[in-house]
Amino acid sequence: MSGGTWHRVAGKDEIAPDEPKKVTVGSEEIALFRVDGEIFATHNICTHAYASLADGFQEGGEIECPLHEGRFDVKTGKALCPPVSEGLKIFAVKVEGDDVFVQV
Ligand code: FES
Protein backbone atom coordinates (compact mmCIF):
# COMPACT_ATOMS: atom_id res chain seq x y z
CA MET A 1 0.00 0.00 0.00
CA SER A 2 2.87 2.39 -0.48
CA GLY A 3 3.56 4.56 -3.50
CA GLY A 4 0.57 5.37 -5.60
CA THR A 5 -1.15 8.66 -5.96
CA TRP A 6 -3.85 10.13 -3.77
CA HIS A 7 -7.14 10.68 -5.58
CA ARG A 8 -10.14 12.52 -4.22
CA VAL A 9 -12.98 10.06 -4.68
CA ALA A 10 -15.91 11.35 -2.64
CA GLY A 11 -17.19 13.72 -0.02
CA LYS A 12 -17.21 12.16 3.43
CA ASP A 13 -20.96 12.62 3.79
CA GLU A 14 -21.61 10.64 0.60
CA ILE A 15 -20.59 7.45 2.40
CA ALA A 16 -23.17 6.33 4.91
CA PRO A 17 -22.85 3.50 7.41
CA ASP A 18 -23.89 0.19 5.85
CA GLU A 19 -24.30 1.86 2.44
CA PRO A 20 -21.15 1.18 0.46
CA LYS A 21 -20.31 3.50 -2.40
CA LYS A 22 -18.61 2.50 -5.63
CA VAL A 23 -16.06 4.85 -7.16
CA THR A 24 -13.67 4.50 -10.07
CA VAL A 25 -10.08 5.62 -10.28
CA GLY A 26 -8.65 4.99 -13.75
CA SER A 27 -9.53 1.36 -14.46
CA GLU A 28 -9.74 0.47 -10.77
CA GLU A 29 -13.18 -0.04 -9.22
CA ILE A 30 -13.16 0.74 -5.53
CA ALA A 31 -15.78 0.29 -2.82
CA LEU A 32 -15.89 2.78 0.06
CA PHE A 33 -17.27 1.82 3.45
CA ARG A 34 -18.01 3.79 6.55
CA VAL A 35 -17.49 1.94 9.81
CA ASP A 36 -17.75 3.72 13.17
CA GLY A 37 -17.17 7.05 11.47
CA GLU A 38 -14.04 5.88 9.68
CA ILE A 39 -13.75 5.29 5.93
CA PHE A 40 -12.24 2.16 4.40
CA ALA A 41 -11.60 1.25 0.77
CA THR A 42 -11.38 -2.13 -0.95
CA HIS A 43 -11.35 -3.37 -4.49
CA ASN A 44 -15.02 -3.42 -5.56
CA ILE A 45 -15.04 -6.72 -7.42
CA CYS A 46 -15.50 -9.95 -5.50
CA THR A 47 -12.57 -12.40 -5.68
CA HIS A 48 -14.96 -15.30 -6.34
CA ALA A 49 -16.70 -14.16 -9.51
CA TYR A 50 -17.65 -10.88 -11.12
CA ALA A 51 -19.87 -9.12 -8.61
CA SER A 52 -19.92 -5.53 -7.39
CA LEU A 53 -19.47 -5.56 -3.64
CA ALA A 54 -20.87 -2.04 -3.36
CA ASP A 55 -24.18 -3.66 -4.35
CA GLY A 56 -23.85 -6.16 -1.52
CA PHE A 57 -24.92 -6.00 2.08
CA GLN A 58 -22.70 -4.24 4.58
CA GLU A 59 -23.09 -4.95 8.25
CA GLY A 60 -20.64 -2.96 10.31
CA GLY A 61 -17.14 -4.02 9.30
CA GLU A 62 -18.27 -6.79 6.95
CA ILE A 63 -19.49 -6.80 3.39
CA GLU A 64 -21.52 -9.66 1.98
CA CYS A 65 -21.27 -10.30 -1.73
CA PRO A 66 -24.65 -9.95 -3.49
CA LEU A 67 -24.03 -12.97 -5.70
CA HIS A 68 -23.13 -15.95 -3.48
CA GLU A 69 -23.00 -14.38 -0.03
CA GLY A 70 -19.26 -14.63 0.51
CA ARG A 71 -18.13 -12.16 3.17
CA PHE A 72 -15.08 -9.94 3.58
CA ASP A 73 -13.66 -7.80 6.36
CA VAL A 74 -13.73 -4.28 4.87
CA LYS A 75 -10.81 -3.09 7.01
CA THR A 76 -8.36 -5.85 6.15
CA GLY A 77 -9.87 -7.30 2.96
CA LYS A 78 -9.73 -10.74 4.56
CA ALA A 79 -12.09 -13.38 3.19
CA LEU A 80 -14.36 -14.54 6.01
CA CYS A 81 -16.44 -17.42 4.69
CA PRO A 82 -16.92 -19.67 1.66
CA PRO A 83 -17.24 -19.45 -1.24
CA VAL A 84 -14.66 -16.65 -1.03
CA SER A 85 -11.15 -17.69 -0.03
CA GLU A 86 -8.98 -15.03 -1.61
CA GLY A 87 -8.87 -11.68 0.19
CA LEU A 88 -9.65 -8.32 -1.36
CA LYS A 89 -7.07 -5.71 -2.21
CA ILE A 90 -7.41 -2.76 0.12
CA PHE A 91 -6.44 0.86 -0.41
CA ALA A 92 -5.12 3.48 1.96
CA VAL A 93 -7.66 6.19 2.78
CA LYS A 94 -7.25 9.67 4.16
CA VAL A 95 -9.89 12.23 4.98
CA GLU A 96 -9.10 15.92 4.76
CA GLY A 97 -11.96 18.12 5.85
CA ASP A 98 -14.93 16.78 3.93
CA ASP A 99 -12.88 15.13 1.20
CA VAL A 100 -12.03 11.44 1.01
CA PHE A 101 -8.84 10.43 -0.77
CA VAL A 102 -7.74 6.96 -1.79
CA GLN A 103 -4.19 5.99 -2.67
CA VAL A 104 -4.07 4.05 -5.94
S1 FES B 1 -19.17 -13.61 -6.68
FE1 FES B 1 -18.90 -12.98 -4.64
S2 FES B 1 -19.28 -14.79 -3.51
FE2 FES B 1 -19.46 -15.43 -5.55
PDB file of all heavy atoms in Angstrom, residues 46-51 53 65-72 83-84, ligand 1:
ATOM      1  N   CYS A  46     -15.671  -8.750  -6.319  1.00  0.00           N
ATOM      2  CA  CYS A  46     -15.495  -9.952  -5.500  1.00  0.00           C
ATOM      3  C   CYS A  46     -14.370 -10.812  -6.079  1.00  0.00           C
ATOM      4  O   CYS A  46     -14.162 -10.866  -7.291  1.00  0.00           O
ATOM      5  CB  CYS A  46     -16.802 -10.739  -5.489  1.00  0.00           C
ATOM      6  SG  CYS A  46     -16.783 -12.113  -4.331  1.00  0.00           S
ATOM      7  N   THR A  47     -13.661 -11.532  -5.202  1.00  0.00           N
ATOM      8  CA  THR A  47     -12.572 -12.398  -5.680  1.00  0.00           C
ATOM      9  C   THR A  47     -13.106 -13.756  -6.138  1.00  0.00           C
ATOM     10  O   THR A  47     -12.353 -14.577  -6.650  1.00  0.00           O
ATOM     11  CB  THR A  47     -11.533 -12.635  -4.560  1.00  0.00           C
ATOM     12  OG1 THR A  47     -12.198 -13.195  -3.417  1.00  0.00           O
ATOM     13  CG2 THR A  47     -10.855 -11.338  -4.160  1.00  0.00           C
ATOM     14  N   HIS A  48     -14.383 -14.002  -5.964  1.00  0.00           N
ATOM     15  CA  HIS A  48     -14.960 -15.301  -6.338  1.00  0.00           C
ATOM     16  C   HIS A  48     -15.440 -15.302  -7.784  1.00  0.00           C
ATOM     17  O   HIS A  48     -15.120 -16.196  -8.557  1.00  0.00           O
ATOM     18  CB  HIS A  48     -16.117 -15.637  -5.385  1.00  0.00           C
ATOM     19  CG  HIS A  48     -16.780 -16.936  -5.691  1.00  0.00           C
ATOM     20  ND1 HIS A  48     -18.116 -17.032  -5.991  1.00  0.00           N
ATOM     21  CD2 HIS A  48     -16.288 -18.200  -5.739  1.00  0.00           C
ATOM     22  CE1 HIS A  48     -18.408 -18.317  -6.216  1.00  0.00           C
ATOM     23  NE2 HIS A  48     -17.326 -19.033  -6.065  1.00  0.00           N
ATOM     24  N   ALA A  49     -16.227 -14.320  -8.146  1.00  0.00           N
ATOM     25  CA  ALA A  49     -16.699 -14.164  -9.514  1.00  0.00           C
ATOM     26  C   ALA A  49     -16.928 -12.671  -9.715  1.00  0.00           C
ATOM     27  O   ALA A  49     -16.566 -11.872  -8.857  1.00  0.00           O
ATOM     28  CB  ALA A  49     -17.968 -14.966  -9.760  1.00  0.00           C
ATOM     29  N   TYR A  50     -17.539 -12.308 -10.832  1.00  0.00           N
ATOM     30  CA  TYR A  50     -17.648 -10.882 -11.115  1.00  0.00           C
ATOM     31  C   TYR A  50     -18.900 -10.303 -10.485  1.00  0.00           C
ATOM     32  O   TYR A  50     -19.992 -10.352 -11.056  1.00  0.00           O
ATOM     33  CB  TYR A  50     -17.637 -10.628 -12.627  1.00  0.00           C
ATOM     34  CG  TYR A  50     -17.363  -9.190 -12.949  1.00  0.00           C
ATOM     35  CD1 TYR A  50     -16.062  -8.697 -12.949  1.00  0.00           C
ATOM     36  CD2 TYR A  50     -18.408  -8.315 -13.213  1.00  0.00           C
ATOM     37  CE1 TYR A  50     -15.814  -7.366 -13.215  1.00  0.00           C
ATOM     38  CE2 TYR A  50     -18.170  -6.975 -13.475  1.00  0.00           C
ATOM     39  CZ  TYR A  50     -16.865  -6.514 -13.485  1.00  0.00           C
ATOM     40  OH  TYR A  50     -16.623  -5.195 -13.742  1.00  0.00           O
ATOM     41  N   ALA A  51     -18.758  -9.758  -9.296  1.00  0.00           N
ATOM     42  CA  ALA A  51     -19.873  -9.116  -8.614  1.00  0.00           C
ATOM     43  C   ALA A  51     -19.372  -7.831  -7.980  1.00  0.00           C
ATOM     44  O   ALA A  51     -18.229  -7.752  -7.525  1.00  0.00           O
ATOM     45  CB  ALA A  51     -20.442 -10.038  -7.546  1.00  0.00           C
ATOM     46  N   LEU A  53     -19.235  -5.475  -5.090  1.00  0.00           N
ATOM     47  CA  LEU A  53     -19.465  -5.561  -3.643  1.00  0.00           C
ATOM     48  C   LEU A  53     -20.232  -4.360  -3.109  1.00  0.00           C
ATOM     49  O   LEU A  53     -20.930  -4.459  -2.103  1.00  0.00           O
ATOM     50  CB  LEU A  53     -18.134  -5.717  -2.914  1.00  0.00           C
ATOM     51  CG  LEU A  53     -17.434  -7.047  -3.201  1.00  0.00           C
ATOM     52  CD1 LEU A  53     -16.065  -7.056  -2.580  1.00  0.00           C
ATOM     53  CD2 LEU A  53     -18.269  -8.219  -2.693  1.00  0.00           C
ATOM     54  N   CYS A  65     -21.131 -10.362  -0.273  1.00  0.00           N
ATOM     55  CA  CYS A  65     -21.266 -10.296  -1.726  1.00  0.00           C
ATOM     56  C   CYS A  65     -22.715 -10.551  -2.144  1.00  0.00           C
ATOM     57  O   CYS A  65     -23.363 -11.463  -1.623  1.00  0.00           O
ATOM     58  CB  CYS A  65     -20.350 -11.341  -2.353  1.00  0.00           C
ATOM     59  SG  CYS A  65     -20.497 -11.411  -4.139  1.00  0.00           S
ATOM     60  N   PRO A  66     -23.248  -9.774  -3.088  1.00  0.00           N
ATOM     61  CA  PRO A  66     -24.648  -9.946  -3.492  1.00  0.00           C
ATOM     62  C   PRO A  66     -24.884 -11.219  -4.292  1.00  0.00           C
ATOM     63  O   PRO A  66     -26.024 -11.657  -4.429  1.00  0.00           O
ATOM     64  CB  PRO A  66     -24.920  -8.707  -4.357  1.00  0.00           C
ATOM     65  CG  PRO A  66     -23.586  -8.296  -4.877  1.00  0.00           C
ATOM     66  CD  PRO A  66     -22.600  -8.654  -3.796  1.00  0.00           C
ATOM     67  N   LEU A  67     -23.812 -11.838  -4.792  1.00  0.00           N
ATOM     68  CA  LEU A  67     -24.034 -12.972  -5.701  1.00  0.00           C
ATOM     69  C   LEU A  67     -24.117 -14.313  -4.965  1.00  0.00           C
ATOM     70  O   LEU A  67     -25.084 -15.048  -5.116  1.00  0.00           O
ATOM     71  CB  LEU A  67     -22.913 -12.993  -6.745  1.00  0.00           C
ATOM     72  CG  LEU A  67     -23.245 -13.584  -8.100  1.00  0.00           C
ATOM     73  CD1 LEU A  67     -24.540 -13.019  -8.655  1.00  0.00           C
ATOM     74  CD2 LEU A  67     -22.096 -13.333  -9.075  1.00  0.00           C
ATOM     75  N   HIS A  68     -23.104 -14.642  -4.170  1.00  0.00           N
ATOM     76  CA  HIS A  68     -23.130 -15.951  -3.476  1.00  0.00           C
ATOM     77  C   HIS A  68     -22.891 -15.812  -1.975  1.00  0.00           C
ATOM     78  O   HIS A  68     -22.502 -16.770  -1.298  1.00  0.00           O
ATOM     79  CB  HIS A  68     -22.081 -16.904  -4.058  1.00  0.00           C
ATOM     80  CG  HIS A  68     -22.071 -16.982  -5.548  1.00  0.00           C
ATOM     81  ND1 HIS A  68     -21.065 -16.452  -6.333  1.00  0.00           N
ATOM     82  CD2 HIS A  68     -22.991 -17.507  -6.397  1.00  0.00           C
ATOM     83  CE1 HIS A  68     -21.348 -16.656  -7.611  1.00  0.00           C
ATOM     84  NE2 HIS A  68     -22.504 -17.285  -7.675  1.00  0.00           N
ATOM     85  N   GLU A  69     -23.035 -14.598  -1.473  1.00  0.00           N
ATOM     86  CA  GLU A  69     -23.001 -14.377  -0.029  1.00  0.00           C
ATOM     87  C   GLU A  69     -21.665 -14.653   0.647  1.00  0.00           C
ATOM     88  O   GLU A  69     -21.612 -14.919   1.848  1.00  0.00           O
ATOM     89  CB  GLU A  69     -24.124 -15.180   0.656  1.00  0.00           C
ATOM     90  CG  GLU A  69     -25.485 -14.735   0.137  1.00  0.00           C
ATOM     91  CD  GLU A  69     -26.632 -15.620   0.603  1.00  0.00           C
ATOM     92  OE1 GLU A  69     -26.397 -16.509   1.412  1.00  0.00           O
ATOM     93  OE2 GLU A  69     -27.764 -15.389   0.152  1.00  0.00           O
ATOM     94  N   GLY A  70     -20.586 -14.607  -0.118  1.00  0.00           N
ATOM     95  CA  GLY A  70     -19.263 -14.625   0.513  1.00  0.00           C
ATOM     96  C   GLY A  70     -19.094 -13.331   1.302  1.00  0.00           C
ATOM     97  O   GLY A  70     -19.686 -12.305   0.963  1.00  0.00           O
ATOM     98  N   ARG A  71     -18.303 -13.366   2.365  1.00  0.00           N
ATOM     99  CA  ARG A  71     -18.127 -12.156   3.170  1.00  0.00           C
ATOM    100  C   ARG A  71     -16.663 -11.787   3.328  1.00  0.00           C
ATOM    101  O   ARG A  71     -15.789 -12.651   3.397  1.00  0.00           O
ATOM    102  CB  ARG A  71     -18.771 -12.334   4.549  1.00  0.00           C
ATOM    103  CG  ARG A  71     -20.269 -12.080   4.505  1.00  0.00           C
ATOM    104  CD  ARG A  71     -20.886 -12.056   5.881  1.00  0.00           C
ATOM    105  NE  ARG A  71     -21.022 -13.407   6.402  1.00  0.00           N
ATOM    106  CZ  ARG A  71     -20.434 -13.838   7.524  1.00  0.00           C
ATOM    107  NH1 ARG A  71     -19.719 -13.042   8.263  1.00  0.00           N
ATOM    108  NH2 ARG A  71     -20.593 -15.081   7.903  1.00  0.00           N
ATOM    109  N   PHE A  72     -16.430 -10.472   3.403  1.00  0.00           N
ATOM    110  CA  PHE A  72     -15.078  -9.938   3.583  1.00  0.00           C
ATOM    111  C   PHE A  72     -15.066  -8.934   4.731  1.00  0.00           C
ATOM    112  O   PHE A  72     -16.052  -8.228   4.970  1.00  0.00           O
ATOM    113  CB  PHE A  72     -14.620  -9.179   2.329  1.00  0.00           C
ATOM    114  CG  PHE A  72     -14.532  -9.993   1.086  1.00  0.00           C
ATOM    115  CD1 PHE A  72     -15.629 -10.065   0.229  1.00  0.00           C
ATOM    116  CD2 PHE A  72     -13.370 -10.676   0.743  1.00  0.00           C
ATOM    117  CE1 PHE A  72     -15.568 -10.810  -0.937  1.00  0.00           C
ATOM    118  CE2 PHE A  72     -13.291 -11.419  -0.427  1.00  0.00           C
ATOM    119  CZ  PHE A  72     -14.388 -11.484  -1.265  1.00  0.00           C
ATOM    120  N   PRO A  83     -18.216 -18.901  -0.296  1.00  0.00           N
ATOM    121  CA  PRO A  83     -17.239 -19.448  -1.243  1.00  0.00           C
ATOM    122  C   PRO A  83     -16.016 -18.561  -1.477  1.00  0.00           C
ATOM    123  O   PRO A  83     -15.210 -18.883  -2.335  1.00  0.00           O
ATOM    124  CB  PRO A  83     -18.060 -19.553  -2.532  1.00  0.00           C
ATOM    125  CG  PRO A  83     -19.006 -18.394  -2.440  1.00  0.00           C
ATOM    126  CD  PRO A  83     -19.356 -18.277  -0.980  1.00  0.00           C
ATOM    127  N   VAL A  84     -15.847 -17.464  -0.773  1.00  0.00           N
ATOM    128  CA  VAL A  84     -14.660 -16.654  -1.032  1.00  0.00           C
ATOM    129  C   VAL A  84     -13.500 -17.163  -0.182  1.00  0.00           C
ATOM    130  O   VAL A  84     -13.673 -17.493   0.993  1.00  0.00           O
ATOM    131  CB  VAL A  84     -14.898 -15.145  -0.795  1.00  0.00           C
ATOM    132  CG1 VAL A  84     -15.906 -14.615  -1.786  1.00  0.00           C
ATOM    133  CG2 VAL A  84     -15.338 -14.837   0.614  1.00  0.00           C
TER     134      VAL A  84
HETATM  135  S1  FES B   1     -19.173 -13.610  -6.684  1.00  0.00           S
HETATM  136 FE1  FES B   1     -18.903 -12.981  -4.639  1.00  0.00          FE
HETATM  137  S2  FES B   1     -19.276 -14.791  -3.513  1.00  0.00           S
HETATM  138 FE2  FES B   1     -19.458 -15.426  -5.553  1.00  0.00          FE
END
